[in-house]
Amino acid sequence: MNLSYRKIDYQNDVEEIINLLTLSLSDRQTSSFFLWKHFQNPFGKSYGLLAIDQGKIVGVRMFMFWEFSKNGEILRAIRPVDTITHPDYRGKGIFKSLTLQGLNDCKKDYDIIFNTPNENSYPGYIKMGWIDLPFKLNFKIAVTNPFYHISGEIIKQDLSQISISKNTNNTSWSTNHTEEFFKWRYQDIDYNIVLFKENGDELLLVYRLKKLKGVKTIVIVDSVGENSIKKHAVLRLGQMEKAPLIYYLQQQDLDYKLSFKVSNGRVVVKEDFNEVRFNLNFSIGDLEGRL
């Protein structure tokens, strides 16, 4: 084995990469999905590093660029994702080599490194010295109240109607919600978007519908706007959709008395970022497996 490493060529490598990814990942890995995720990302085209043996791609590591914003400032981030090693080449340190070299290649392009690993990849990050964020990401379910009176108005939106003004009042680092980002990230038909208005304040809300134990449930995916009206917006949405349950991430300024925790989320970072890592604020949209 005589491995070499090189940067991805988006014009010529994608089809071979997809063939390799589908060996162990889902059939969601299509060329169009790959290019949407890595080539069309408004935060920047992903850096891809490939392991090559005798002209064949035997390992892939993609480094996706991300942005957080707070009070008008931008924090540049990178998240290593979509890793695959050909079955004949596993156990030879390719995952570690691709990760370390890729991060070094991009070191001038990011301020922090984070990832949302699954149970299979998590131990590999810990072995490389990554650490968990110090706070818990609690996924919870709450029961809606169909009789609770809310004066606000809720309006269904499509992507062409979305208008996002710059929000400079974030107290923590949250994903940089530009219009370009929203229209890229939530174009899938799985997502519904509504605008909630109450007493002159507005909130844009992204959600999915699913069945939990056969019960219609609203999954609160993301939001941008006035956070103080978010709880009312979600309750009003539950009434509109006639859904008795809400699935949400507690960190997103939501919590209800009639609620219970169902699982924890997991985010790891490359280094101890001191004050920064204590103030990263995520949505379910930031943590979904499609990213």
Side-chain angles (χ1 to χ4, degrees):
M1 183 177 69
N2 187 19
L3 289 177
S4 61
Y5 298 91
R6 68 167 173 82
K7 182 181 176 181
I8 187 176
D9 177 348
Y10 278 101
Q11 295 296 318
N12 299 305
D13 291 331
V14 172
E15 184 176 350
E16 188 176 354
I17 289 171
I18 295 303
N19 290 336
L20 183 58
L21 286 170
T22 52
L23 285 177
S24 63
L25 300 178
S26 72
D27 58 6
R28 190 181 185 87
Q29 299 293 328
T30 63
S31 295
S32 59
F33 178 76
F34 184 88
L35 290 171
W36 165 80
K37 179 175 177 177
H38 294 297
F39 194 75
Q40 299 166 15
N41 178 2
F43 295 143
K45 182 172 60 179
S46 296
Y47 181 78
L49 191 62
L50 312 178
I52 309 294
D53 186 28
Q54 299 181 9
K56 182 175 72 171
I57 299 173
V58 298
V60 179
R61 188 58 152 148
M62 301 301 296
F63 300 84
M64 191 177 192
F65 291 103
W66 207 256
E67 288 182 2
F68 295 95
S69 65
K70 182 177 75 169
N71 296 329
E73 296 182 71
I74 298 296
L75 186 70
R76 302 172 306 161
I78 197 169
R79 51 195 306 183
V81 294
D82 290 347
T83 306
I84 187 66
T85 303
H86 191 283
D88 296 340
Y89 291 79
R90 291 173 186 167
K92 302 182 186 300
I94 292 177
F95 169 81
K96 184 176 181 179
S97 297
L98 287 171
T99 300
L100 296 179
Q101 182 175 324
L103 292 176
N104 185 66
D105 291 348
C106 300
K107 62 184 178 182
K108 294 181 180 180
D109 299 320
Y110 61 83
D111 302 306
I112 65 168
I113 311 162
F114 78 100
N115 206 340
T116 54
N118 58 31
E119 295 298 323
N120 294 325
S121 59
Y122 176 75
Y125 285 104
I126 299 304
K127 286 181 181 178
M128 288 191 294
W130 292 53
I131 58 175
D132 289 289
L133 287 175
F135 52 80
K136 295 294 185 183
L137 294 173
N138 294 324
F139 290 89
K140 304 186 77 173
I141 289 177
V143 179
T144 63
N145 183 347
F147 306 108
Y148 187 84
H149 177 69
I150 299 169
S151 59
E153 177 186 16
I154 199 160
I155 309 163
K156 289 190 175 183
Q157 304 277 287
D158 61 43
L159 289 176
S160 65
Q161 296 173 293
I162 288 176
S163 176
I164 299 174
S165 58
K166 257 198 176 326
N167 185 354
T168 59
N169 298 316
N170 293 342
T171 57
S172 58
W173 292 102
S174 303
T175 293
N176 187 18
H177 285 132
T178 64
E179 285 185 27
E180 186 182 12
F181 167 81
F182 248 69
K183 291 176 180 180
W184 166 77
R185 177 64 184 88
Y186 297 118
Q187 61 186 259
D188 195 289
I189 60 172
D190 288 350
Y191 299 113
N192 303 288
I193 305 173
V194 293
L195 179 66
F196 180 71
K197 297 182 178 183
E198 186 179 51
N199 299 326
D201 293 322
E202 295 186 355
L203 179 79
L204 201 63
L205 200 62
V206 183
Y207 68 100
R208 290 187 284 107
L209 295 172
K210 66 182 294 185
K211 290 287 185 72
L212 288 177
K213 303 291 186 181
V215 179
K216 188 178 183 181
T217 303
I218 295 174
V219 179
I220 303 302
V221 176
D222 210 341
S223 65
V224 60
E226 178 52 58
N227 282 333
S228 66
I229 63 173
K230 188 179 293 184
K231 290 180 76 171
H232 278 187
V234 172
L235 287 172
R236 181 69 184 87
L237 181 61
Q239 293 170 353
M240 184 188 82
E241 290 286 0
K242 295 181 172 58
L245 297 180
I246 305 165
Y247 182 90
Y248 65 99
L249 185 62
Q250 184 178 350
Q251 195 189 25
Q252 282 290 290
D253 299 308
L254 287 173
D255 207 10
Y256 298 91
K257 291 180 180 179
L258 293 175
S259 66
F260 56 93
K261 188 178 78 171
V262 289
S263 66
N264 291 326
R266 175 170 279 160
V267 175
V268 294
V269 291
K270 178 67 167 60
E271 298 168 356
D272 186 345
F273 296 114
N274 300 318
E275 184 263 345
V276 169
R277 72 187 181 95
F278 287 90
N279 288 279
L280 293 177
N281 192 40
F282 295 97
S283 69
I284 285 181
D286 298 330
L287 307 178
E288 286 186 312
R290 67 188 67 196
L291 296 177

